[in-house]
Every structure is written in structure tokens, then in C-alpha cells.
Amino acid sequence: MIWRSSLTQLKATLPNKKKLLEELGKDRLPYMTPVDADFHQLWKSRYSKLIFRKSDTVPEELHQMVQEAFLTLREHDCFFQDLVRIKGKDFVTPVSRILIGNPGCTYKYLNTRLFTIPWPTEGYDIKYCSPQIHDACKALIRLNDYLHIEAVKALQNLVETKEINNTTVIDGEQNFATSLAEKGSVSKDESSCCVQADNYRCLKNRTSYNMTLLNYMDPLQMLYLKQEPYFGMGDMAVSWHHDENLVERSTVAVYSYSCEGSVMTESDEQILKGRDPAVWHVGLKVAWDIETPGLAMPLHQGDCYLMLDDLNMTHQHCVLAGFSPRFSSTHRVADCSRGALEYIFGRCELALQNLQTDLDSMALSLKSLETAVIKQVEEIHNEVEFEWLRQFWFQGKRYLKCTDWWLKPIAKLEEFWRKMEIMGRGKNTRTMVIHLSPRKQG
């Protein structure tokens, strides 16, 4: 289950952006950075589900692998700006991205569907365009495994410090988290002795990242960056938002790598108030709340942060640009119930159940002309075309820079689409159906 419906209800009851800006006028809401005396108290009281890990807590070997992966993907021109739609208008994102994850998964944001470059996965034949790209994808799945374990530990901490009446849930999640942290992973059979099945599935669904959306931007190459409108935090690389299409209450994990040293990492001017504009930050605020001060957390090379539980639902976050180029790897539990090959192939097979082939002439005909059946086929036909084929080919040959893995499943979808196109022609008149395949009159 995803949280979109509850978020829609939440937005409907809260002031919209325009009204909030009108109320503020020329004023700006307060926000805090680590230099402010009350920063840690604010973090603990209103942003406690934001967990921060400094770079020196991450294994050095992992740093090297991941940072080399970033540079490799940039050298091979694997990062692309996306054309997205916001409130009916098309925009090109200032940030360049690439999606890497489980084979056959996609991720849709702002009406744009991205297709995963599959990371090395047992049971899948994935041919990469170069050994370097293979190594880069392998490094990112290593980072994914590491952040998965860190998320489990953080959730365990959250359960321990949170008041929950249901002690069974607490004990179950703690035992499972401890087991995962020690072993790296466990099977359902191994954990069944101490964890109820529902609790196991709940925690696993909230921390098992199936993809990472990689981001890259060099602020000095940008002609214009939007200014943060509510707090006066400065240049934004990514505006205020909730991450879309995630499993409900799942954790988002982010690894940040700013290329410090390429330009100055601290502003020459003394900062009397607010954030250092030379340093990248993640900004957080309580969604549509003008009472609680915002938070701006500086991000240095190799820092990580986690957004636990419902933080992505109740709060919004943005990315504030510094002066140096920056990569990030944002690991998420995407809701793939309608965004995986398994799903869309199943939909196609459902539609094609209404298609039959004459064994003698090999001509095609419809089994049923019932309105509901025809309508269902049309809906699936449109879904394949507009949600998959057009989305894939609109993005050009970007995926071929890494692998040709998607070409076969896309070709299979195109074949399904052609059959449904024939079915669409056959629905109009009885004559057309008879022409396609003579039907016996009973």
C-alpha cells in the first residue's frame, strides 16, 4: 500500500502554497542550522525521525567504491535531465538522474516513468556496456545492502524510544532488527520463531530498498536556481516535496557525495545568520506548518541520512545547493505494484484472454463483444502505450549507454500492443470480427 491517498487528503485540508506565501508577504519563517543553540532540541522534538550518519561512520572501502561508481557513471554520460510535468506545465529538471535497481522495476515521479538500470542480480542475464559500468552497479547494490542494515538499526532505536502499547509489535520488530543487523539478512523461516509473520513483513517492506535514484548537479553550470521561498534558505537544487510512489511508512536513505576541493567549500564571507551558501544542505519542514522552524542540515562528502517511518508523509524536504558539484544516491522502497514488468505483462495476458486464433487459418478474432470486456482491453491497451512504450522511447536511447537489458521486454510489450491494436479494430463491427476469423453461428 502506498501513501498517496492519505497525502491527498492531508493536502486538501491544509493551506496551499500560494495562500501560505500570501500570508508571509515579505517575511520569512525561521529556520535553524547546527550553529544555532536550539538546533538539537528542535531536531529531537520535531524532526526525530531524521537520522544522520557522518561520513566517518561509513566504512572507508565502501566510500571508495561508491564514489568511484559516481565518477564512472558521469564519465560514461549516464546522467540525464528529465522532462517532468508540474501542474500541467513541462519542465526540465536542473538535476541529472539515473535509476538503478531491481531488474524490471520502474519509478514514476512528476508524470515521468524511469526504468531501472538493473544492478547485478542472481538469476538474471544482464550484459553491461563495459566492465566499469558493471562495477559501478555492483558498488551501488553494496551501498544498498549497507543502508538497509543501517535503516533496520535506526528503526530498532525508534521502536525502543517510542511509546507503543502493543508490546508484541515492539518485541517482534526488535528481535527481527537485531537478527538482520547481525546477519545482514534472514529468511522468513529463520525468523518465524521470534517474529510474527505480520511484523516481519511490515519491517521488511519498510527497509528492503528495491532501487536507488542517483542525482548529479554542478551548481556553477546552472544559469538559474530557484530560491527557497519560505525561509530564505537560498539556492535550491530540488524544491520542497514528498517523495512519491513509495511503500507506506518506508524509510528513505540518502548517501551524499559533494566533490569538495574542486571549489571552495566554505563561503569567504562570515555567515552571521542562516546556512553557509557554499555547503550543500538538506532542508526539512513540517508540511504546511508556519509555527515550527525549519531545519537545514549541512551535507559533507560521504554523509548519509535516513528519513524513517512517516517522516516523508508528515514533513517535506528540499535540497539546498552549495558551490561544488554533488552526487547523491537516494535509496527507496518504491511501490512497484503497478510499475514492474510482472504487473504489466499480467495485464497484457488478461487482455489477450479475449483473443483467439483459428487453428486452420491462424486468423485472430474476439471471444466476446461485451462492453465491459472491450472497455477493459482498451484500458490495458492505453496503459501499455502511454505508461510504458511512449515513456520508454521518449527518453531515447539513454539506457543503452549502460545495458540493452530493457530491449527484449519492451519488444515483448510492443508485440502485446500490436495484438491489442487488432482487437481494437475488431470491436467496431461484426463484419470486421468475421473478416478476421469466420465465426460459427450457433
Side-chain angles (χ1 to χ4, degrees):
M1 178 180 179
I2 55 177
W3 54 267
R4 282 177 297 185
S5 59
S6 60
L7 180 57
T8 301
Q9 293 170 358
L10 177 64
K11 284 184 175 179
T13 61
L14 295 170
N16 58 30
K17 178 180 177 180
K18 184 177 179 180
K19 183 177 179 181
L20 181 56
L21 290 174
E22 287 175 352
E23 289 179 1
L24 286 174
K26 294 183 179 180
D27 296 330
R28 288 294 176 264
L29 298 172
Y31 75 97
M32 295 187 187
T33 69
V35 299
D36 294 299
D38 295 331
F39 173 82
H40 286 90
Q41 179 58 36
L42 175 66
W43 183 4
K44 182 179 179 180
S45 61
R46 300 308 303 270
Y47 300 92
S48 61
K49 293 178 182 178
L50 172 69
I51 306 300
F52 195 78
R53 297 280 188 265
K54 287 188 174 294
S55 60
D56 57 10
T57 66
V58 179
E60 184 60 33
E61 179 188 6
L62 187 58
H63 278 309
Q64 292 178 1
M65 290 177 62
V66 172
Q67 292 168 16
E68 286 176 10
F70 288 149
L71 298 175
T72 294
L73 293 170
R74 185 179 65 178
E75 288 167 4
H76 284 77
D77 297 322
C78 295
F79 288 90
F80 297 89
Q81 291 174 280
D82 294 320
L83 181 66
V84 298
R85 175 159 291 187
I86 304 174
K87 295 182 179 179
K89 296 181 180 180
D90 294 331
F91 298 90
V92 175
T93 59
V95 176
S96 299
R97 297 184 166 99
I98 181 175
L99 185 68
I100 298 178
N102 290 352
C105 286
T106 69
Y107 180 68
K108 192 173 182 183
Y109 80 105
L110 299 178
N111 296 301
T112 294
R113 184 180 302 280
L114 300 181
F115 297 75
T116 55
I117 301 301
W119 46 33
T121 306
E122 186 177 352
Y124 288 85
D125 182 21
I126 304 164
K127 296 175 182 177
Y128 297 95
C129 295
S130 73
Q132 292 81 13
I133 291 179
H134 168 272
D135 293 344
C137 292
K138 186 176 180 180
L140 289 163
I141 200 170
R142 283 277 303 274
L143 176 62
N144 197 68
D145 293 341
Y146 172 80
L147 292 174
H148 166 63
I149 294 173
E150 288 302 304
V152 169
K153 292 177 183 176
L155 279 175
Q156 179 185 16
N157 255 353
L158 185 67
V159 171
E160 289 174 348
T161 58
K162 192 176 179 182
E163 292 184 5
I164 301 179
N165 293 328
N166 190 339
T167 57
T168 304
V169 173
I170 295 176
D171 293 338
E173 290 196 349
Q174 285 179 340
N175 290 336
F176 175 65
T178 303
S179 177
L180 262 181
E182 290 174 352
K183 298 181 181 181
S185 64
V186 296
S187 70
K188 184 174 179 179
D189 291 339
E190 289 172 329
S191 62
S192 61
C193 61
C194 60
V195 183
Q196 293 183 2
D198 288 346
N199 296 341
Y200 170 84
R201 283 192 296 270
C202 175
L203 191 55
K204 185 176 186 295
N205 289 344
R206 290 162 65 182
T207 58
S208 294
Y209 305 121
N210 49 16
M211 61 183 63
T212 176
L213 184 61
L214 271 60
N215 307 284
Y216 172 73
M217 195 182 84
D218 183 351
L220 299 184
Q221 300 300 316
M222 305 302 298
L223 296 177
Y224 168 78
L225 286 175
K226 189 176 180 180
Q227 295 294 296
E228 193 285 311
Y230 305 117
F231 303 91
M233 292 178 174
D235 292 341
M236 291 193 301
V238 182
S239 300
W240 291 107
H241 68 287
H242 306 269
D243 285 337
E244 299 180 74
N245 293 326
L246 305 182
V247 169
E248 187 176 19
R249 303 178 83 96
S250 61
T251 297
V252 177
V254 180
Y255 177 93
S256 180
Y257 172 50
S258 50
C259 305
E260 298 171 359
S262 58
V263 294
M264 58 183 175
T265 57
E266 293 186 0
S267 175
D268 289 336
E269 299 179 5
Q270 184 178 5
I271 305 299
L272 299 178
K273 185 178 180 181
R275 76 174 185 101
D276 184 342
V279 178
W280 286 79
H281 288 66
V282 57
L284 284 99
K285 68 182 181 72
V286 179
W288 307 111
D289 178 356
I290 63 173
E291 302 296 330
T292 305
L295 204 69
M297 180 74 76
L299 299 170
H300 294 290
Q301 194 175 76
D303 288 343
C304 302
Y305 61 92
L306 309 171
M307 294 186 289
L308 301 180
D309 195 44
D310 61 350
L311 183 70
N312 185 53
M313 299 167 60
T314 59
H315 294 60
Q316 291 176 305
H317 60 281
C318 70
V319 181
L320 304 163
F323 291 165
S324 60
R326 173 184 178 261
F327 298 90
S328 67
S329 184
T330 63
H331 299 249
R332 53 197 73 202
V333 189
D335 174 62
C336 290
S337 60
R338 297 175 63 88
L341 279 176
E342 183 180 58
Y343 159 78
I344 196 63
F345 283 162
R347 293 278 286 167
C348 291
E349 289 165 2
L350 176 63
L352 295 179
Q353 287 178 5
N354 195 41
L355 186 65
Q356 61 186 358
T357 304
D358 185 273
L359 296 179
D360 296 326
S361 65
M362 299 305 293
L364 301 175
S365 65
L366 302 181
K367 293 180 182 179
S368 171
L369 292 176
E370 291 183 14
T371 302
V373 175
I374 297 298
K375 183 178 179 182
Q376 182 184 59
V377 173
E378 288 178 340
E379 289 174 351
I380 296 173
H381 186 208
N382 287 335
E383 184 177 10
V384 171
E385 178 175 345
F386 293 99
E387 289 292 330
W388 289 81
L389 297 180
R390 287 178 181 265
Q391 290 270 1
F392 183 83
W393 291 117
F394 173 77
Q395 296 171 42
K397 298 180 179 179
R398 63 165 65 179
Y399 302 102
L400 295 181
K401 288 181 175 289
C402 299
T403 177
D404 63 359
W405 188 88
W406 275 98
L407 293 184
K408 286 185 178 179
I410 290 297
K412 186 176 179 179
L413 280 178
E414 289 175 336
E415 181 60 28
F416 284 144
W417 179 89
R418 279 189 287 270
K419 289 183 178 180
M420 285 184 275
E421 185 78 356
I422 293 172
M423 297 169 73
R425 297 182 196 136
K427 71 180 174 62
N428 295 322
T429 65
R430 192 82 170 170
T431 305
M432 177 64 74
V433 177
I434 294 173
H435 175 74
L436 288 172
S437 178
R439 299 169 65 92
K440 294 181 179 180
Q441 301 299 318

